[in-house]
């Protein structure tokens, strides 16, 4: 009865242990729980949290003497047992009794790995039994080399070092393949009591432990007596460094990634940790972006009175964020101005207004009068406070004419424009108001850049994101990004809008962004009192947005051309070695069918003034449109249109966003005149 009762009790204990073990698939875990690793697109570690090694090594990358040193120190019968070593326990007990001190442990390397990855440091018989059983199951599922690899990458070795690569750096500022035999034995000797045997804390104890490891290696026949003696006599020179896992790269981007994680990972999985997040960041581009942001603020911020900058680059074909800088100094300001700052986009929003107009069937050559204008009490003014008379939509966009932008918005309607902007990628609320045409609604840099990417891809939009895959502790993929592109704009309208935005670069306000070897499309933007300076531009493979300003919303003394120049500085480096791709050819402008329906605004009151010698950039007196017969969408006779177009050729001037060098102004004016094309042109979109 006693035997049967004992057997039943043991069976109950055994079943309880089995029921508390981790699932079989978790036995393949390679990292500890409560960790988070964020990696760049090329696998470079950007940030780590928790007890993780910065440099996980393959067993082939770890020097053989270092592996042998750990086996000699921790588990001399490692290759003979199956996770639990009875002889090792008896030997350890006898050695400790004989020396009256704790000189040898009874846990195998596999048991230690079980404790590191799946259990805790609780000192109890129950935990020890679980440890033994988990070790046995690990041995059933992994090879000896796989066990060693996991152990050597996860064992805690003091001073914040997890794994042998960290320890080599922390204690000796070396990589593992640069360690001497003496240093390898020192690191292997740390495992039983890292703080006590640390050479930075107790050098004499560290030397004694090192010599014991070397003696065991000699006894095991893995080194010669002469090698052991030379290593014992070698001075123990310590050169400390902080753990690499504490070093973070691309901090604004990694904080953005951490904010995104709850969208893709359940709360309990995120809390358990052990995750590795593979992102889309391009380290080379990120480094260039950070340098450009810092240089722009350092060189221009003081005299143009702005203190912050942000930059984001996105691959519009798949929505992947390739670079992100949210400010100049993450250590001082963790606020991410690329994703968290809601700012008025100024004239960059005109890109959506004019795109909606094109999609509604309007011609880029449709003429509008730039003159004093007031609608329902709202009076848009051009930055120069001067007017240019009749001009086409294409030229008005290039010169960033505010009055014309409002009239175009009125012709298309609030709802169609807002719906298009939102479908292209704008997520922030957009209020139907006349000022919307001039960028009064607040947006962030990421969504604005993502929305412009819809033009780069010919009308296809993919949501901006930075996470490609997420892996669990065992390396299994638990999330795989599968964002699909959707059509938000017809290809012809996208091609025409891009053609118009290319004119902004070649003959308008965005000249500073021009690249030597390829065409660029984009738009500058300046909010009220130059509080925000913007440029968003793109090539077929990459869209990049730049913002400059102040956190306290104070006015700057700068120009959006500074943002365009910063864009150029980044893109010159980003396109290095990148294939030149051409934008889609300009489609036939005749007889186009609209793809969105206009809903013209019906104002209660319109007042249109005169263009005089004082407020005209054309230099002559000109009668403004009569407010009583003004109709935003009325058609003109062909003769009238041709006459007005000829009369406007010399009146249209480039709007300057800040007082500028007159010579540069004249050069840009010449470019604008040279870029004018007859009303029904045959165009090469790649010119």
């Amino acid at each position: 009865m006693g035997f049967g009762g004992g057997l039943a009790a043991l069976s109950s204990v055994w079943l309880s242990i089995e029921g508390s073990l981790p699932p079989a698939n978790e036995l393949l875990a390679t990292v500890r729980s409560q960790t988070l690793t964020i990696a760049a697109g090329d696998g470079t570690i950007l940030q780590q949290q928790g007890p993780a090694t910065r440099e996980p090594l393959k067993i082939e990358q770890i020097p053989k003497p270092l592996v042998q040193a750990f086996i000699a120190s921790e588990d001399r019968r490692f290759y003979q047992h199956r996770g639990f070593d009875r002889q090792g326990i008896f030997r350890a007990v006898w050695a400790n009794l004989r020396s009256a001190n704790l000189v040898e442990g009874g846990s195998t390397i596999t048991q230690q790995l079980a404790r590191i990855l799946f259990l805790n440091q609780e000192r109890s018989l129950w935990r020890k039994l679980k440890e033994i059983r988990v070790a046995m199951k690990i041995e059933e599922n992994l090879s000896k080399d796989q066990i060693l690899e996991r152990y050597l990458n996860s064992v805690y070795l003091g001073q914040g070092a997890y794994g042998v690569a960290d320890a080599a750096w922390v204690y000796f500022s070396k990589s593992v393949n640069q360690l001497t035999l003496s240093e390898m034995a020192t690191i292997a000797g740390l495992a039983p009591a890292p703080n006590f045997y640390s050479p930075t804390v107790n050098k004499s104890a560290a030397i004694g432990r090192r010599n014991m490891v070397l003696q065991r290696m000699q006894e095991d026949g893995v080194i010669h007596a002469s090698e052991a003696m030379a290593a014992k006599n070698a001075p123990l020179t310590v050169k400390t460094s902080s753990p690499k896992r504490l070093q973070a790269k691309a901090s604004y981007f990694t904080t953005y990634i951490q904010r995104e994680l709850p969208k893709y990972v359940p709360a309990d999985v995120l809390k358990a940790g052990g995750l590795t997040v593979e992102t889309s960041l391009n380290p080379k581009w990120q480094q260039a972006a950070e340098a450009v942001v810092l240089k722009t603020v350092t060189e221009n911020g003081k005299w143009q009175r702005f203190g912050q900058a942000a930059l984001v680059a996105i691959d519009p074909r798949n929505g992947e964020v390739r670079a992100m800088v949210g400010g100049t100094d993450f250590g001082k300001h963790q606020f991410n101005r690329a994703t968290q700052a809601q700012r008025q986009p100024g004239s960059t929003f005109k890109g959506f207004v004019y795109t909606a107009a094109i999609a509604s069937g309007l011609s880029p050559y449709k003429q509008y009068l730039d003159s004093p204008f007031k609608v329902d009490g709202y009076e848009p003014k051009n930055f120069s406070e001067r007017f240019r008379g009749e001009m086409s939509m294409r030229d008005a966009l290039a010169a960033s004419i505010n009055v014309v932008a409002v009239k175009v918005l009125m012709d298309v309607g609030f709802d169609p424009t807002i719906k298009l902007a939102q479908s292209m990628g704008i997520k922030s609320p957009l209020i139907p108001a006349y000022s919307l045409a001039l960028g009064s609604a607040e947006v962030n840099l990421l969504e604005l850049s993502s929305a412009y990417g819809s033009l780069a891809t010919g009308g296809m939009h993919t949501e901006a994101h930075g996470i490609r895959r997420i892996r669990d502790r065992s390396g299994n993929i638990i999330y795989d990004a599968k964002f699909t592109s959707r059509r938000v704009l017809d290809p012809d309208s996208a091609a025409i809008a891009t053609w118009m935005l290319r004119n902004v670069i070649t003959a308008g306000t965005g000249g500073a962004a021009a690249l030597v070897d390829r065409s660029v499309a984009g738009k500058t933007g300046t909010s009220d009192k130059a509080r925000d300076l913007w440029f968003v531009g793109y090539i077929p493979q990459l869209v990049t947005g730049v913002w400059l300003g102040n956190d306290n919303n104070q006015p700057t003394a700068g120009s959006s051309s500074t943002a365009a120049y910063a864009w150029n500085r980044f893109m010159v480096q980003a396109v290095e070695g990148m294939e030149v791709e051409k934008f889609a050819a300009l489609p036939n402008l005749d007889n186009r069918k609209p793809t969105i329906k206009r809903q013209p605004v019906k104002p209660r009151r319109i007042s249109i003034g005169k263009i005089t010698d004082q407020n005209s950039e054309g230099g002559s007196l000109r009668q403004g449109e009569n407010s009583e017969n003004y109709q935003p969408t009325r058609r003109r006779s062909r003769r009238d249109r041709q006459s007005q177009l000829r009369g406007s050729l010399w009146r249209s001037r480039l709007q300057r966003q800040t007082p500028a060098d007159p010579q540069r102004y004249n050069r840009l004016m010449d470019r604008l005149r040279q870029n004018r094309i007859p009303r029904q042109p045959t165009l090469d979109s790649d010119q």
Side-chain angles (χ1 to χ4, degrees), residues 22-230:
N25 61 332
E26 287 191 14
L27 295 174
L28 302 178
T30 57
V31 298
R32 295 170 180 252
S33 60
Q34 306 304 319
T35 62
L36 175 65
T37 300
I38 301 176
D42 64 353
T44 303
I45 302 298
L46 300 174
Q47 186 186 53
Q48 283 183 310
Q49 295 179 354
T53 179
R54 185 60 173 266
E55 299 179 82
L57 302 174
K58 297 294 184 182
I59 191 65
E60 300 83 8
Q61 297 174 293
I62 303 173
K64 190 173 182 179
L66 182 55
V67 177
Q68 293 168 334
F70 271 92
I71 292 175
S73 173
E74 296 300 305
D75 190 357
R76 301 173 82 173
R77 284 175 38 80
F78 174 71
Y79 287 105
Q80 283 73 50
H81 65 69
R82 301 302 298 170
F84 172 58
D85 185 15
R86 298 177 184 83
Q87 293 184 31
I89 292 176
F90 292 136
R91 184 180 63 249
V93 170
W94 174 248
N96 294 336
L97 289 174
R98 187 173 56 183
S99 64
N101 197 0
L102 183 61
V103 297
E104 189 171 338
S107 295
T108 64
I109 283 178
T110 315
Q111 285 178 256
Q112 293 182 51
L113 180 63
R115 184 166 64 249
I116 289 169
L117 295 182
F118 306 109
L119 304 172
N120 53 43
Q121 300 300 320
E122 174 191 356
R123 292 180 176 272
S124 68
L125 178 60
W126 179 254
R127 197 270 298 164
K128 195 66 176 179
L129 292 173
K130 287 177 64 177
E131 176 187 297
I132 292 172
R133 184 55 184 146
V134 172
M136 294 170 66
K137 292 181 75 67
I138 289 175
E139 291 273 356
E140 293 170 3
N141 288 273
L142 299 176
S143 69
K144 291 291 186 178
D145 279 353
Q146 289 175 318
I147 293 169
L148 278 173
E149 181 180 295
R150 284 162 170 75
Y151 173 74
L152 294 173
N153 279 317
S154 58
V155 60
Y156 181 63
L157 297 169
Q159 306 301 308
Y162 290 90
V164 293
D166 281 3
W169 177 255
V170 166
Y171 293 109
F172 303 108
S173 299
K174 295 180 178 180
S175 61
V176 291
N177 56 9
Q178 295 174 320
L179 294 172
T180 65
L181 180 59
S182 171
E183 292 165 344
M184 292 180 189
T186 301
I187 290 175
L190 291 166
N195 293 328
F196 180 76
Y197 291 122
S198 169
T200 62
V201 176
N202 191 340
K203 195 167 186 178
S204 61
I207 292 174
R209 181 69 182 176
R210 174 200 68 181
N211 293 345
M212 188 197 72
V213 173
L214 291 167
Q215 182 63 34
R216 288 186 178 179
M217 293 177 72
Q218 179 186 339
E219 293 172 358
D220 292 346
V222 295
I223 60 173
H224 297 296
S226 58
E227 293 177 301
M229 183 59 66

Side-chain angles (χ1 to χ4, degrees), residues 251-303:
S251 297
Y252 285 109
F253 177 74
T254 55
T255 55
Y256 157 71
I257 292 299
Q258 291 184 60
R259 290 175 179 270
E260 292 288 293
L261 280 176
K263 295 181 180 179
Y264 312 118
V265 180
D268 58 334
V269 176
L270 192 59
K271 183 178 180 181
L275 303 179
T276 298
V277 183
E278 301 174 8
T279 73
S280 56
L281 195 79
N282 183 314
K284 181 181 177 181
W285 292 359
Q286 178 66 22
Q287 186 177 5
E290 291 174 356
V292 165
V293 164
L294 184 59
K295 189 172 185 178
T296 300
V297 174
T298 301
E299 292 184 353
N300 305 100
K302 187 173 182 179
W303 66 277

Side-chain angles (χ1 to χ4, degrees), residues 363-369 390-393 636 641 644-645 648 679:
S363 167
Y365 292 108
K366 176 176 171 58
Q367 298 289 300
Y368 285 89
L369 180 64
E390 288 283 350
M391 59 193 316
S392 69
M393 286 202 304
R636 304 176 188 275
R641 289 198 301 269
Q644 290 156 358
L645 180 58
S648 67
R679 180 166 178 75

